[in-house]
Amino acid sequence: MNVCLSLSYEQNAKVLVKSVEKNNKEEKFLETMAKMEVKTSLLDNMIGVGDMVLLEPLNEETFINNLKKRFDHNEIYTYIGSVVISVNPYRSLSIYSPEKVEDYRNRNFYELSPHIFALSDEAYRSLRDQDKDQCILITGESGAGKTEASKLVMSYVAAVCGKGAEVNQVKEQLLQSNPVLEAFGNAKTVRNDNSSRFGKYMDIEFDFKGDPLGGVISNYLLEKSRVVKQPRGERNFHVFYQLLSGASEELLNKLKLERDFSRYNYLSLDSAKVNGVDDASNFRTVRNAMQIVGFMDHEAESVLEVVAAVLKLGNIEFKPESRVNGLDESKIKDKNELKEICELTGIDQSVLERAFSFRTVEAKQEKVSTTLNVAQAYYARDALAKNLYSRLFSWLVNRINESIKAQTKVRKKVMGVLDIYGFEIFEDNSFEQFIINYCNEKLQQIFIELTLKEEQEEYIREDIEWTHIDYFNNAIICDLIENNTNGILAMLDEECLRPGTVTDETFLEKLNQICATHQHFESRMSKCSRFLNDTSLPHSCFRIQHYAGKVLYQVEGFVDKNNDLLYRDLSQAMWKAGHALIKSLFPEGNPAKINLKRPPTAGSQFKASVATLMKNLQTKNPNYIRCIKPNDKKAAHIFNEALVCHQIRYLGLLENVRVRRAGYAFRQAYEPCLERYKMLCKQTWPHWKGPARAGVEVLFNELEIPVEEYSFGRSKIFIRNPRTLFKLEDLRKQRLEDLATLIQKIYRGWKCRTHFLLMRKSQIVIAAWYRRYAQQKRYQQIKSSALVIQSYIRGWKARKILRELKHQKRCEEAATTIAAYWHGTQVRREYRKFFRANAGKKIYEFTIQRIVQKYFLEMKNKMPSLSPIDKNWPSRPYLFLDSTHKELKRIFHLWRCKKYRDQFTDQQKLIYEEKLEASELFKDKKALYPSSVGQPFQGAYLEINKNPKYKKLKDAIEEKIIIAEVVNKINRANGKSTSRIFLLTNNNLLLADQKSGQIKSEVPLVDVTKVSMSSQNDGFFAIHLREGSEAASKGDFLFSSDHLIEMATKLYRTTLSQTKQKLNIEISDEFLVQFRQDKVCVKFIQGNQKNGSVPTCKRKNNRLLEVAVP
């Protein structure tokens, strides 16, 4: 019963928990649906207007106010149709996370709030799914965030395209090309800390699946004049500062550079350090990026050497020196910098020095060499530095293209990303601004053309009547600049190429003649000028009315910058460099390929590049990102309306909106339109069963919207006026509130009823539980009372039985005790006489047993160490244990000796056997023996196998060598000694010459009969040979050795092993030795030696050889 109740409780508890969880899940689901509803469209929860096409009323003031309102709420992106306006926030925003990437992935362009990811996704999906080549045009002035926008586009495409080792490698190389190009092509300006000083167009190539295969980068008009001179408050290119800040001391020493920026004339010092920029860390990033892109180590090293050479070129200074003909000639002040440059580049110092001092002009077959004055020398130096850096940058772009180009030749889809300088209007505008603004005129021209074309194509595709749109066509401005006959660039080239004196003033005069009547050209002398008395239009300037506004250009420097002249002497000097990279940068310096034709001018080159770029862009589907800079302080949260207004004008954004709104301001596919507004009509809510277009028609008829306010296309509904769209949104918002109220009412009713049913069910469960609890409690009380009564009764019975048992036990114990005492008395009476007779013997045996037991226990704790040479032994405790004590000592010593022997290896056993043999032979007989005990027997003291000196001796002996030692052989005639090599093998005893290794004597061991030696502390010993043997023809041998004991022992053991007979060892202070036919007595005497402790041998007469031992 208890089990059933417990299960019932658990089941009801689970029901309660599940009900609560279900309610919580439903609430979370509703919250999630509400959030999803908020984010399902561009029109929901708008801050300002997300698409400027819907702005009402449309004027410059409302346009700027809408941008400012969105900017203040961190909404930096706004649409103009499919064009994205991006306002630089000058701070990090959390809108580029991986989660955001997933939000915009595979979503409709207008489905979410405006974002650069939406445009990137639209372009990528059109390329992947519709097989249309795309291009993304990013424009805006310096500091507006163009470079960051291009990085975001590339990062998004890299995130959403395919995965895989090869694909990831391609993506990584494409992304890592940016840090390299930024280091060499970007610089700090007054408007931007990371301003691109070149135009970049990258074609990213994809396969049919949309996975990147590679890319191609094109660069336009690097601002190389920045290498030699920077405006105040600006820096040179980043790489110079990164190299000096981040390179190791070893690398700087190799490049002959110093870390101090002030040591280099080409680096401006007033803004060398930029807040928030770590040049050292960026240098490491660039080196890593070069490695990822595919630069070899020697290539990266060569690039840095060229950068170092450019830096050091700025430190070359010139001084004037008068010649005999009265002309000034330039000379280099300090040739140390020139020397270091030549060491870096591998150029002959004299060749480069002459190139800075002379100029050679070639015409047909004639060569004329003229000297350069100081001004011309400085011009040549700067021209070389600019050309060297510009060509290095072009080489870098080509090298990156080699690494990132597609390796396969299959058909490719292409997405182009154009990051190019925006329209520039400075206080002093020169040739660079003129070229940049010309490029922006062309981009504006293609933007208007492609925008109108796209609009017209959509109207035709949707079968909507097309109405002509009036707009400003800037083709007249482009023609003013690029016309092949009367264009400004053509006249500049013509002025540069004509003979005679050519100056900037003559160029301006020509412009005044040709362009005087042009409505977009003004100068102080032109007929068209309306400012003849205006001092803001100096004589040396001209003004062009661009699409973005009027720009005043200083004509000074136009001719020189367009010429971009590098003296042929410097080109040839560079070609002669030992530096492979520098030599490849100046192919025109090769004397074998001299071309007298004048190189193309900078203006004509850029014009051709722009024409190629425009042609490329026209083959692709365009996508536009217009970048706007909110302030000049590069600070967050500041919105300068005047500055933004200026950018809106020259970007033509209002005109873009008007073009977009000239026909229909808003268009949307039928399915999402019906899905969004179906709740406004009873016939379409909640589900429409027919085609989407029919549902939209029913919806618009029901709402009584005027027919002239909309048109039906093939797949879209077109709404003419934004007011109509806003009216629909207001109706939808009101209807959503009504629906939300209805849903809340139904939900609350359902929730209250569910809660009531749950409470009712819970009340039944609680009542059942209470009744069960009350019965259980009553049962427990009855059961407890019964147990108490039972325990009292059982206790009383147990105590009664215990008392009876205790009384019975006491009676039995008393009877037993009485009987025991009685039986004891009887036994003692009977056996008293036997006990007295044997008591002494038993006591003695017991005492002896206890003494022996104690003796063994004490011996156990007093045992000595296991070392065989340890002679300690516990003292004897009792005299009667003397024999036992000695026997135990003997047994213990034998046991520990055995344990010690068991540890020996076979080699150690052999050594100890020899030592034991020596002990038996010489102990207490030879005084030299004790000193030999501690010396190991090595045998081969001469390393005959390793010493090449004894190679001949080694080859002559085929047996194993037991002893190889140098001994002194005593001369038989005079007692003097001679060094000999003593060799003992298994069968022979050999003597050899120590110097030559030639064997002098060989004695078989069977012919050795005896070994004699004295009992004193000397090393003399005699080897007696068998009479009549071949070896005994000259008599016995007498030797002296430092290892006498070892030699005698090994000779004894070897002879015993081979002949099975013991060799006689004679130890005596006098013994006879056979010398040829005579027997000589060798006598050992004690004496004081002149040479210290060395024994000496002396021949006394024919029969006596005396050895004096100290």
Side-chain angles (χ1 to χ4, degrees):
M1 177 180 177
N2 291 339
V3 174
C4 294
L5 288 172
S6 177
L7 287 174
S8 175
Y9 171 74
E10 291 179 1
Q11 290 169 358
N12 284 288
K14 289 179 180 178
V15 169
L16 184 63
V17 171
K18 285 181 180 178
S19 300
V20 174
E21 288 180 350
K22 184 178 179 183
N23 291 341
N24 292 336
K25 287 181 180 178
E26 287 167 352
E27 291 177 359
K28 290 180 180 178
F29 173 75
L30 290 173
E31 291 176 1
T32 305
M33 289 298 294
K35 292 179 181 177
M36 289 177 63
E37 179 65 23
V38 168
K39 293 186 177 180
T40 52
S41 174
L42 172 72
L43 299 172
D44 284 322
N45 285 354
M46 284 193 303
I47 298 170
V49 177
D51 191 342
M52 290 292 187
V53 175
L54 305 177
L55 188 62
E56 190 71 26
L58 176 62
N59 54 53
E60 197 171 78
E61 182 181 357
T62 57
F63 194 100
I64 295 173
N65 289 337
N66 187 55
L67 282 181
K68 185 177 187 303
K69 185 177 181 181
R70 292 179 61 78
F71 178 78
D72 291 339
H73 289 82
N74 295 330
E75 294 287 343
I76 64 171
Y77 295 112
T78 309
Y79 292 154
I80 302 178
S82 59
V83 178
V84 176
I85 303 174
S86 171
V87 183
N88 193 345
Y90 286 117
R91 62 193 178 95
S92 298
L93 297 177
S94 58
I95 58 174
Y96 307 110
S97 61
E99 292 77 14
K100 278 288 182 183
V101 172
E102 289 302 319
D103 287 344
Y104 283 88
R105 186 172 186 173
N106 294 327
R107 303 292 286 268
N108 185 275
F109 185 75
Y110 296 103
E111 192 171 344
L112 299 176
S113 58
H115 202 290
I116 195 172
F117 286 170
L119 181 137
S120 304
D121 187 73
E122 183 75 13
Y124 177 70
R125 286 191 294 114
S126 297
L127 176 137
R128 182 191 63 191
D129 302 336
Q130 301 176 20
D131 205 16
K132 292 181 181 178
D133 288 349
Q134 303 290 317
C135 65
I136 298 176
L137 281 67
I138 307 171
T139 56
E141 73 172 46
S142 179
K146 301 186 299 298
T147 301
E148 290 303 316
S150 67
K151 291 180 185 177
L152 290 171
V153 170
M154 293 178 64
S155 300
Y156 180 84
V157 173
V160 300
C161 64
K163 301 293 187 290
E166 294 183 4
V167 174
N168 289 338
Q169 182 181 0
V170 172
K171 290 193 290 188
E172 188 68 15
Q173 286 185 335
L174 289 172
L175 293 175
Q176 290 299 324
S177 65
N178 279 325
V180 180
L181 294 179
E182 284 185 14
F184 287 86
N186 288 24
K188 178 197 178 299
T189 65
V190 291
R191 297 186 175 183
N192 186 2
D193 289 343
N194 187 32
S195 175
S196 298
R197 307 317 299 161
F198 71 104
K200 182 180 74 172
Y201 177 73
M202 174 183 281
D203 268 336
I204 308 173
E205 299 172 336
F206 299 84
D207 62 8
F208 70 97
K209 298 179 295 183
D211 294 340
L213 298 173
V216 179
I217 299 173
S218 302
N219 64 301
Y220 301 96
L221 192 66
L222 176 73
E223 188 189 11
K224 57 186 177 183
S225 60
R226 181 172 292 272
V227 175
V228 299
K229 185 179 180 183
Q230 305 91 42
R232 186 171 184 80
E234 298 190 3
R235 293 205 314 178
N236 209 325
F237 292 102
H238 292 326
V239 69
F240 295 114
Y241 304 92
Q242 292 173 358
L243 174 60
L244 296 181
S245 300
S248 62
E249 293 295 337
E250 180 184 358
L251 179 58
L252 287 178
N253 292 334
K254 186 176 181 180
L255 298 178
K256 307 184 186 305
L257 296 176
E258 298 179 23
R259 208 173 289 281
D260 185 9
F261 295 157
S262 62
R263 292 277 297 117
Y264 304 100
N265 297 332
Y266 279 167
L267 300 183
S268 61
L269 299 180
D270 57 340
S271 56
K273 294 290 184 182
V274 181
N275 293 332
V277 176
D278 186 353
D279 289 319
S281 175
N282 291 341
F283 179 73
R284 292 188 290 271
T285 302
V286 171
R287 290 298 299 269
N288 183 56
M290 292 178 75
Q291 187 176 5
I292 293 174
V293 171
F295 282 81
M296 307 298 288
D297 290 341
H298 68 88
E299 289 178 327
E301 197 171 304
S302 298
V303 169
L304 295 180
E305 288 171 351
V306 176
V307 173
V310 172
L311 262 182
K312 299 186 77 64
L313 273 174
N315 290 351
I316 295 179
E317 296 183 348
F318 302 94
K319 61 182 179 180
E321 186 174 296
S322 298
R323 303 186 68 186
V324 179
N325 57 8
L327 297 176
D328 285 341
E329 179 183 353
S330 65
K331 290 291 183 181
I332 297 176
K333 287 184 181 180
D334 183 8
K335 296 185 179 181
N336 185 47
E337 292 286 351
L338 182 67
K339 178 183 176 183
E340 291 183 351
I341 291 173
C342 293
E343 290 175 356
L344 275 173
T345 58
I347 302 174
D348 190 338
Q349 184 174 343
S350 61
V351 173
L352 188 56
E353 185 177 359
R354 175 177 173 78
F356 280 134
S357 302
F358 294 88
R359 178 187 179 188
T360 303
V361 179
E362 297 184 26
K364 297 183 179 180
Q365 300 300 323
E366 297 181 1
K367 287 186 180 181
V368 179
S369 181
T370 60
T371 60
L372 300 179
N373 58 30
V374 173
Q376 292 172 330
Y378 277 116
Y379 173 82
R381 179 200 69 177
D382 292 344
L384 177 61
K386 291 187 290 185
N387 272 273
L388 189 57
Y389 190 83
S390 174
R391 297 183 188 204
L392 172 65
F393 186 78
S394 298
W395 180 88
L396 279 170
V397 173
N398 293 332
R399 179 64 184 82
I400 291 173
N401 284 337
E402 289 180 10
S403 297
I404 65 175
K405 67 180 180 182
Q407 302 299 322
T408 59
K409 295 184 179 180
V410 298
R411 182 179 176 274
K412 309 175 187 70
K413 306 175 183 180
V414 178
M415 177 185 289
V417 180
L418 178 64
D419 173 13
I420 201 162
Y421 17 62
F423 201 87
E424 292 188 350
I425 305 177
F426 300 146
E427 290 184 6
D428 294 325
N429 302 289
S430 187
F431 179 75
E432 290 85 3
Q433 281 69 45
F434 176 74
I435 289 295
I436 289 171
N437 294 342
Y438 160 61
C439 179
N440 278 272
E441 286 284 356
K442 295 294 290 183
L443 288 174
Q444 177 67 11
Q445 184 182 21
I446 195 173
F447 169 70
I448 295 296
E449 289 178 359
L450 293 178
T451 302
L452 290 175
K453 181 182 177 183
E454 181 184 4
E455 192 79 1
Q456 185 176 5
E457 285 179 351
E458 183 172 20
Y459 279 34
I460 295 172
R461 186 170 58 249
E462 293 293 330
D463 198 17
I464 300 294
E465 183 180 355
W466 169 257
T467 56
H468 178 72
I469 301 172
D470 292 325
Y471 65 95
F472 170 68
N473 190 345
N474 67 336
I476 187 172
I477 304 175
C478 296
D479 186 69
L480 170 64
I481 298 172
E482 67 181 2
N483 189 283
N484 291 330
T485 56
N486 298 328
I488 295 176
L489 286 176
M491 286 186 283
L492 181 58
D493 289 347
E494 184 179 334
E495 192 69 13
C496 291
L497 298 176
R498 75 175 177 84
T501 303
V502 177
T503 64
D504 297 319
E505 287 72 19
T506 59
F507 166 62
L508 183 57
E509 290 176 6
K510 191 165 189 174
L511 286 182
N512 290 332
Q513 294 172 7
I514 304 298
C515 304
T517 59
H518 199 286
Q519 59 181 341
H520 291 275
F521 177 84
E522 299 171 1
S523 74
R524 197 174 184 91
M525 302 302 296
S526 68
K527 297 178 183 179
C528 188
S529 175
R530 298 184 298 275
F531 304 95
L532 295 178
N533 299 320
D534 187 359
T535 56
S536 66
L537 192 60
H539 288 283
S540 60
C541 300
F542 65 92
R543 179 184 286 145
I544 294 180
Q545 174 69 46
H546 288 283
Y547 78 94
K550 294 180 180 181
V551 183
L552 185 67
Y553 296 103
Q554 302 283 344
V555 78
E556 181 183 353
F558 262 62
V559 173
D560 286 339
K561 292 176 181 178
N562 188 52
N563 269 326
D564 193 20
L565 186 61
L566 179 67
Y567 297 150
R568 184 169 291 134
D569 301 75
L570 288 171
S571 297
Q572 292 177 351
M574 292 296 106
W575 188 83
K576 293 177 182 177
H579 196 283
L581 176 56
I582 292 179
K583 186 172 183 177
S584 67
L585 297 180
F586 293 87
E588 75 276 11
N590 187 352
K593 299 180 180 179
I594 291 179
N595 185 4
L596 300 181
K597 185 179 178 181
R598 190 181 183 92
T601 62
S604 61
Q605 291 181 25
F606 187 71
K607 177 182 173 183
S609 299
V610 169
T612 304
L613 175 63
M614 297 301 116
K615 185 178 179 181
N616 190 359
L617 294 179
Q618 286 176 341
T619 62
K620 297 179 173 60
N621 184 48
N623 302 271
Y624 299 96
I625 301 174
R626 301 298 206 183
C627 298
I628 291 179
K629 182 168 65 171
N631 60 78
D632 278 328
K633 298 179 180 179
K634 294 178 280 191
H637 306 295
I638 298 177
F639 191 90
N640 188 327
E641 295 186 11
L643 179 64
V644 173
C645 178
H646 171 70
Q647 296 174 77
I648 289 173
R649 287 174 182 172
Y650 80 65
L651 286 173
L653 298 183
L654 276 173
E655 192 170 44
N656 186 11
V657 177
R658 292 190 182 101
V659 169
R660 180 78 179 186
R661 290 178 56 169
Y664 293 90
F666 182 77
R667 70 284 319 264
Q668 191 175 28
Y670 290 122
E671 288 79 2
C673 180
L674 180 62
E675 186 66 26
R676 184 169 183 81
Y677 301 113
K678 63 181 181 180
M679 72 285 298
L680 300 179
C681 175
K682 293 182 180 179
Q683 299 179 42
T684 57
W685 177 258
H687 300 292
W688 173 256
K689 300 292 180 65
R693 173 169 177 167
V696 173
E697 290 177 355
V698 170
L699 175 65
F700 275 54
N701 291 331
E702 179 74 17
L703 295 176
E704 297 181 353
I705 297 174
V707 178
E708 61 272 10
E709 286 295 318
Y710 62 90
S711 291
F712 292 104
R714 295 180 185 275
S715 62
K716 294 180 181 179
I717 176 73
F718 287 76
I719 298 176
R720 187 178 301 277
N721 200 310
R723 285 193 297 271
T724 303
L725 181 65
F726 293 148
K727 179 183 176 182
L728 286 174
E729 285 297 314
D730 291 339
L731 292 173
R732 179 178 181 272
K733 183 178 180 181
Q734 182 61 42
R735 181 59 178 158
L736 285 176
E737 290 177 358
D738 296 341
L739 290 174
T741 304
L742 178 62
I743 293 171
Q744 286 176 349
K745 181 182 71 173
I746 295 173
Y747 172 72
R748 286 170 183 159
W750 170 84
K751 187 174 181 181
C752 289
R753 177 169 177 77
T754 304
H755 182 69
F756 166 74
L757 293 175
L758 180 63
M759 291 292 290
R760 181 182 176 187
K761 188 174 183 180
S762 301
Q763 187 271 334
I764 294 172
V765 171
I766 292 170
W769 268 78
Y770 176 76
R771 285 193 292 271
R772 188 193 72 168
Y773 166 75
Q775 291 298 323
Q776 282 182 341
K777 188 174 182 182
R778 185 168 176 272
Y779 166 75
Q780 292 293 341
Q781 289 176 347
I782 295 172
K783 182 178 179 181
S784 177
S785 301
L787 290 175
V788 170
I789 294 170
Q790 287 177 352
S791 64
Y792 272 100
I793 293 173
R794 290 190 187 108
W796 174 77
K797 286 184 177 180
R799 285 191 296 274
K800 182 179 178 182
I801 294 171
L802 178 62
R803 285 195 299 271
E804 292 174 355
L805 290 175
K806 284 182 177 180
H807 178 73
Q808 183 180 354
K809 182 179 179 182
R810 282 197 299 272
C811 292
E812 290 176 355
E813 287 178 351
T816 303
T817 302
I818 293 170
Y821 272 96
W822 168 251
H823 290 306
T825 302
Q826 295 296 323
V827 169
R828 282 193 294 277
R829 287 177 182 174
E830 185 69 25
Y831 290 97
R832 185 172 293 146
K833 55 182 177 180
F834 298 105
F835 176 75
R836 289 176 179 174
N838 297 325
K841 181 179 178 182
K842 289 183 180 295
I843 292 171
Y844 172 78
E845 289 177 353
F846 176 77
T847 303
I848 294 299
Q849 182 181 3
R850 291 298 298 164
I851 289 173
V852 171
Q853 184 180 10
K854 182 181 179 182
Y855 166 72
F856 280 117
L857 290 174
E858 289 179 352
M859 284 295 292
K860 175 183 177 182
N861 298 326
K862 295 180 181 180
M863 297 297 285
S865 67
L866 296 180
S867 173
I869 61 174
D870 187 0
K871 298 189 179 299
N872 293 326
W873 187 251
S875 60
R876 179 193 61 196
Y878 302 101
L879 182 62
F880 75 92
L881 293 175
D882 183 57
S883 60
T884 302
H885 195 67
K886 291 180 180 178
E887 184 64 18
L888 279 176
K889 179 178 180 182
R890 185 185 70 81
I891 293 171
F892 177 76
H893 181 69
L894 293 176
W895 174 78
R896 69 183 176 183
C897 287
K898 182 179 181 304
K899 295 288 286 184
Y900 185 74
R901 288 195 304 273
D902 291 343
Q903 300 174 3
F904 294 161
T905 62
D906 293 341
Q907 184 68 24
Q908 289 176 325
K909 287 181 180 179
L910 180 63
I911 292 173
Y912 281 110
E913 286 177 1
E914 290 180 347
K915 286 288 186 179
L916 186 62
E917 193 78 55
S919 174
E920 293 176 355
L921 292 174
F922 302 110
K923 186 176 181 181
D924 300 329
K925 299 176 184 178
K926 176 70 174 172
L928 186 64
Y929 171 73
S931 63
S932 69
V933 172
Q935 299 176 357
F937 288 174
Q938 298 181 9
Y941 291 94
L942 298 179
E943 296 181 347
I944 294 178
N945 293 333
K946 298 181 181 179
N947 196 335
K949 178 180 176 181
Y950 302 122
K951 184 177 185 306
K952 183 177 180 181
L953 179 62
K954 174 191 172 187
D955 297 339
I957 301 173
E958 298 179 355
E959 299 177 276
K960 178 184 178 182
I961 297 176
I962 301 172
I963 293 178
E965 165 69 335
V966 176
V967 300
N968 293 323
K969 178 177 175 295
I970 307 303
N971 193 298
R972 299 176 178 89
N974 52 20
K976 294 183 179 180
S977 61
T978 304
S979 295
R980 288 287 186 269
I981 297 175
F982 185 94
L983 299 172
L984 175 63
T985 65
N986 290 332
N987 296 310
N988 297 293
L989 187 152
L990 299 95
L991 295 176
D993 187 81
Q994 185 183 5
K995 294 181 179 180
S996 63
Q998 183 180 0
I999 297 176
K1000 296 291 188 179
S1001 302
E1002 184 175 356
V1003 180
L1005 291 182
V1006 295
D1007 293 342
V1008 178
T1009 59
K1010 182 172 67 171
V1011 176
S1012 299
M1013 63 188 72
S1014 73
S1015 62
Q1016 299 185 37
N1017 192 16
D1018 64 276
F1020 285 86
F1021 67 98
I1023 296 179
H1024 301 273
L1025 305 179
R1026 182 168 53 83
E1027 294 184 4
S1029 63
E1030 182 180 354
S1033 59
K1034 294 183 180 181
D1036 300 334
F1037 294 104
L1038 182 61
F1039 301 109
S1040 173
S1041 173
D1042 294 334
H1043 302 90
L1044 168 63
I1045 302 299
E1046 179 182 359
M1047 295 176 69
T1049 303
K1050 287 184 179 291
L1051 182 61
Y1052 176 84
R1053 286 174 60 84
T1054 307
T1055 304
L1056 178 63
S1057 174
Q1058 296 299 323
T1059 63
K1060 306 302 180 183
Q1061 296 181 357
K1062 293 183 178 181
L1063 180 65
N1064 185 17
I1065 304 294
E1066 179 184 357
I1067 301 175
S1068 175
D1069 291 342
E1070 290 186 14
F1071 52 81
L1072 295 177
V1073 179
Q1074 182 75 33
F1075 285 170
R1076 292 188 183 275
Q1077 302 302 324
D1078 300 326
K1079 287 193 176 183
V1080 178
C1081 176
V1082 180
K1083 184 176 181 181
F1084 293 84
I1085 62 173
Q1086 296 286 335
N1088 296 324
Q1089 306 301 318
K1090 296 179 181 180
N1091 55 353
S1093 60
V1094 180
T1096 58
C1097 182
K1098 188 174 181 182
R1099 185 72 177 262
K1100 290 293 186 178
N1101 52 48
N1102 292 338
R1103 299 292 182 179
L1104 178 62
L1105 189 65
E1106 192 174 81
V1107 179
V1109 181

